[in-house]
Amino acid sequence: MKSLLHYVKQQYLLIVIIVGVVMMLIFFLFNRSDTKANGEDAFETDSFKTMDLEEDLIDDVPLVLMVDVKGAVKLPGVYTFTEGDRIDDAIKRAGGFTEDAEEIHVNLALKLLDEQVIYVPEMGEAPVEIEQYWKEAGDGESGKVNLNTATIEELQGLTGIGPAKAASIVSHREEHGPYQTIDDLKNVSGIGEKSFDSLKDFIEVN
């Protein structure tokens, strides 16, 4: 009888131990699953935050503006600016106004636009809208300056062409006759290959 009771006690203890181990395993697995789920949620949240940050950084990158500054400035040419810059910044980049500049016709507070042309007239020169300026200088609808009809003032609207070079272009035309091709411009004193390359897309002959 004692042996039977001892056997039952042993079996009971074994069953209790097994049940305890099983419960511990279930508890461990449940906690692990919950921790993993929380970790995935945290990872997804961090991922979304990273994506939002990247989008914000992209939105914060300023646009690059290409602006052509012409006329009565010391260093006419094409310059790069960022969104929010103003005409005042463009004039400063181009070396400032010349002594003959008619500054009153230039609104320095205006914001710059991509592919914008800023033309600063000289004293005594009638201010015109830039589209009208190009049409008159080009003597047509192409928007290019016609080397055979443009005046000295109109030629100065071209990048890198000041009063002296503009006068030389007109003098060459008067002495040798109309330009036959735009390449003839390289025959003018002071117009080298580099200068011609910067002008060829803005000039024509008719």
Side-chain angles (χ1 to χ4, degrees), residues 22-205:
V22 171
M23 291 182 66
M24 289 179 64
L25 287 173
I26 293 174
F27 179 78
F28 174 76
L29 292 174
F30 177 79
N31 282 343
R32 183 179 180 185
S33 176
D34 188 53
T35 302
K36 183 178 180 182
N38 291 335
E40 290 177 350
D41 291 340
F43 176 76
E44 290 179 357
T45 301
D46 291 340
S47 297
F48 283 123
K49 287 182 178 179
T50 301
M51 291 174 63
D52 291 340
L53 179 59
E54 290 176 349
E55 290 177 356
D56 290 340
L57 289 174
I58 292 174
D59 292 337
D60 290 340
V61 175
L63 294 176
V64 176
L65 310 177
M66 298 288 291
V67 178
D68 193 359
V69 187
K70 301 177 179 294
V73 290
K74 296 178 181 178
L75 299 171
V78 178
Y79 297 92
T80 57
F81 299 91
T82 55
E83 188 178 19
D85 286 344
R86 301 180 183 271
I87 287 182
D88 182 53
D89 299 307
I91 298 300
K92 290 177 180 177
R93 186 78 64 82
F97 294 112
T98 63
E99 294 180 357
D100 299 329
E102 191 73 278
E103 301 178 28
I104 193 172
H105 295 303
V106 182
N107 185 350
L108 298 175
L110 288 178
K111 288 185 177 181
L112 297 174
L113 301 173
D114 191 31
E115 300 181 357
Q116 182 178 5
V117 176
I118 299 172
Y119 178 72
V120 180
E122 292 185 349
M123 291 182 181
E125 182 180 354
V128 294
E129 294 295 332
I130 193 63
E131 291 82 5
Q132 180 183 351
Y133 163 77
W134 281 116
K135 183 176 180 181
E136 291 176 353
D139 194 26
E141 298 296 332
S142 67
K144 296 183 178 181
V145 175
N146 187 345
L147 296 178
N148 289 327
T149 60
T151 65
I152 291 177
E153 290 75 18
E154 291 166 347
L155 288 168
Q156 288 181 65
L158 292 168
T159 300
I161 301 298
K165 287 185 179 180
S168 295
I169 293 172
V170 173
S171 296
H172 187 278
R173 183 177 70 201
E174 293 174 348
E175 293 176 9
H176 302 280
Y179 293 96
Q180 300 302 310
T181 68
I182 62 172
D183 291 282
D184 291 342
L185 186 63
K186 290 184 285 187
N187 297 326
V188 176
S189 176
I191 305 294
E193 196 69 38
K194 186 176 180 180
S195 297
F196 177 76
D197 287 340
S198 66
L199 294 169
K200 63 183 180 181
D201 293 330
F202 305 100
I203 57 177
E204 66 180 3
V205 294

